[in-house]
Amino acid sequence: MQKKLIVSAVQQPCGDDNPHVNLDFSIAKIREVAAKNADLVVLSELHLGKYFCQTEDHTVFDLAQPIPCETTDILSELAKELSIVIVSTLFERRAAGLYHNTAVVFDKDGSIAGKYRKMHIPDDPAFYEKYYFTPGDLGFTPIETSIGKLGVLICWDQWYPEAARLMALAGADILIYPTAIGWDKNDTKEEQARQLDAWITVQRGHAVANGLPVISCNRIGFETAPNSENGIDFWGNSFITGAQGEFLAHANSTDTQVLIAEIDKKQNETVRRIWPFLRDRRVDAFSDLTKRFID
Amino acid sequence: MQKKLIVSAVQQPCGDDNPHVNLDFSIAKIREVAAKNADLVVLSELHLGKYFCQTEDHTVFDLAQPIPCETTDILSELAKELSIVIVSTLFERRAAGLYHNTAVVFDKDGSIAGKYRKMHIPDDPAFYEKYYFTPGDLGFTPIETSIGKLGVLICWDQWYPEAARLMALAGADILIYPTAIGWDKNDTKEEQARQLDAWITVQRGHAVANGLPVISCNRIGFETAPNSENGIDFWGNSFITGAQGEFLAHANSTDTQVLIAEIDKKQNETVRRIWPFLRDRRVDAFSDLTKRFID
């Protein structure tokens, strides 16, 4: 298996009401990175449309699709044509009344290599995800592909060291976070800066703690909530780090940008020899990690 | 219990061969922060002398002390006199052939509030700690003091999200890392920069993931290994962050510096309401965290 990989992320707006417009834009960017020999491309979370969780509305469930569906057929064909691994996140209709926030990984041969159903589901004002998404039941299982094991997690998962660690313990070669996160414009600039920096820092921390590269792909653009002037200002800042958490590529907060970086899986092992954290974990003293709180 | 605390860290060299010289220097700095109304002061790891783990030498065990000992008596008296909580790290002689790297917390009344025995023990060239220190057996248990529950961890622990999380789950109000870490001068400047940044980032990540302030206190100075020109260039960079991982104070890599910051325990709760990570942990899917590897 090849050790050096060219990986990429597409930071873009996803706010058009027509999902085909958003998808066609993504496809154009995937063609762009494929022309630069990318082995892997990551799209942001739920990239087919506006982030619909700003309100609770039962008609929104009409947007959900089974997997496979027309969208996955399109992405399968594209992955095969361009010989590129694609990470897409879709609103999955599993059954009537049962929906997930699901990442689908397409291998270079166009096959669906695997799915990951978002495990940690947020619920905060303007992020009413617990209404829409059933918590994932596929566990923290890396997806095997022709380029390695992909530790695909989604958005809210990015705050949880446990999720990253379990992917690493299961042999992930890269941690991947499609995401949709932004600012509330009512917050102060100082609070906005702290939030963005915390979001970057905690994910870079997962790279460091696990000796793995991280790819985090966010959307951009301001999206209003229905019947409101409020909304979410998606903060972009997609990034790619190496296995010591060092930035290899980093987008800004406003622009469509394609990030490309070369990562070397040999470097994962080099870093883990310098810092052999896995060797020394006190697994004998970790059983309380399965508790909600120790009280 | 008071909500606002003035916390501090003493970054200093600890390389004098006479432990009294190093301790007297620390005491002078503790008096300095106490004069600024500090409630808490953190000293760096094993601050009584040179970092002795650069070689394996059985005569070094002569440096170990039972707890309590003359040093703890001195720090107890000082804590009481100045009405300040002190976090000190000592080479503990528990029994013949049984030694630990142990943090001792002195409360404002001069009592020993508790001990933490370093759980994760490194072993790398120039950091031969597995030879000297038996892994701790007191678990990840915060130490109750008059100013709150202190999640005291030591050095190598700082790379482990599990340790920080267990302290948070057990109710810690602050995460505290006395440490002794530095550069190998044979590494490139780029590698040195990556290492320092990774060390800062992973600890700031623990603040973010757990919604807790972090105090990290490192030593400074170059210390040669016995019979060698090699040695460790201790990189300082002690820091204090708030509960979003934001810097409140940050020292440089070369100078004796006293860091002081005000932290507000109410802010821990505010941050955890904005980002309710503890609510959503998938404890039903975390049992494999007690495995060495999932294979």
Side-chain angles (χ1 to χ4, degrees), chain B residues 3-21:
Chain B
K3 289 287 184 187
K4 292 192 177 182
L5 299 176
I6 299 176
V7 301
S8 65
V10 175
Q11 172 170 301
Q12 65 169 80
C14 308
D16 199 283
D17 286 330
N18 181 347
H20 294 287
V21 170

Side-chain angles (χ1 to χ4, degrees), chain B residues 171-193:
Chain B
D173 296 301
I174 311 173
L175 297 172
I176 296 173
Y177 295 97
T179 191
I181 190 168
W183 289 301
D184 177 343
K185 288 197 165 177
N186 296 315
D187 281 331
T188 63
K189 288 292 170 198
E190 292 72 23
E191 173 63 19
Q192 292 185 8

Side-chain angles (χ1 to χ4, degrees), chain B residues 188-204:
Chain B
T188 63
K189 288 292 170 198
E190 292 72 23
E191 173 63 19
Q192 292 185 8
R194 280 195 297 273
Q195 292 185 5
L196 171 60
D197 197 28
W199 175 80
I200 292 170
T201 300
V202 77
Q203 292 177 88
R204 291 180 63 213

Side-chain angles (χ1 to χ4, degrees), chain A residues 119-120 130 156 160 162 165 169 191 194 197 204 244 277 280-282 289 291-292 294, chain B residues 119-120 130 156 160 162 165 169 194 197 204 244 277 280-282 289 291-292 294:
Chain A
M119 291 286 281
H120 293 100
K130 287 192 194 297
W156 194 234
Y160 293 86
E162 294 93 338
R165 181 69 98 200
L169 294 180
E191 174 62 19
R194 281 195 297 272
D197 196 29
R204 291 180 64 212
Q244 290 171 298
F277 306 142
D280 295 333
R281 292 172 66 242
R282 287 295 302 270
L289 288 169
K291 290 188 178 168
R292 178 68 56 209
I294 304 167
Chain B
M119 290 286 282
H120 294 99
K130 288 192 193 297
W156 195 234
Y160 292 85
E162 294 93 338
R165 181 68 98 201
L169 294 180
R194 280 195 297 273
D197 197 28
R204 291 180 63 213
Q244 289 172 300
F277 307 141
D280 295 332
R281 292 173 66 241
R282 288 296 302 272
L289 289 170
K291 289 188 177 168
R292 178 67 57 208
I294 304 167

Side-chain angles (χ1 to χ4, degrees), chain A residues 174-215:
Chain A
I174 311 173
L175 297 172
I176 296 174
Y177 296 96
T179 191
I181 189 167
W183 290 300
D184 178 344
K185 288 197 165 179
N186 296 314
D187 281 331
T188 64
K189 288 290 169 198
E190 293 72 22
E191 174 62 19
Q192 292 186 9
R194 281 195 297 272
Q195 291 185 5
L196 172 59
D197 196 29
W199 175 80
I200 293 169
T201 300
V202 77
Q203 293 177 87
R204 291 180 64 212
H206 303 328
V208 174
N210 296 291
L212 289 177
V214 166
I215 304 171

Side-chain angles (χ1 to χ4, degrees), chain A residues 17 50-64 91 97 99 123 126-133 224-227:
Chain A
D17 286 329
K50 279 187 180 158
Y51 179 74
F52 52 77
C53 309
Q54 293 199 57
T55 55
E56 299 192 359
D57 175 357
H58 62 78
T59 67
V60 167
F61 289 105
D62 289 338
L63 297 174
F91 186 18
Y99 307 85
D123 194 289
F127 294 86
Y128 299 107
E129 295 199 16
K130 287 192 194 297
Y131 175 70
Y132 293 106
F133 308 127
T224 52
N227 308 316

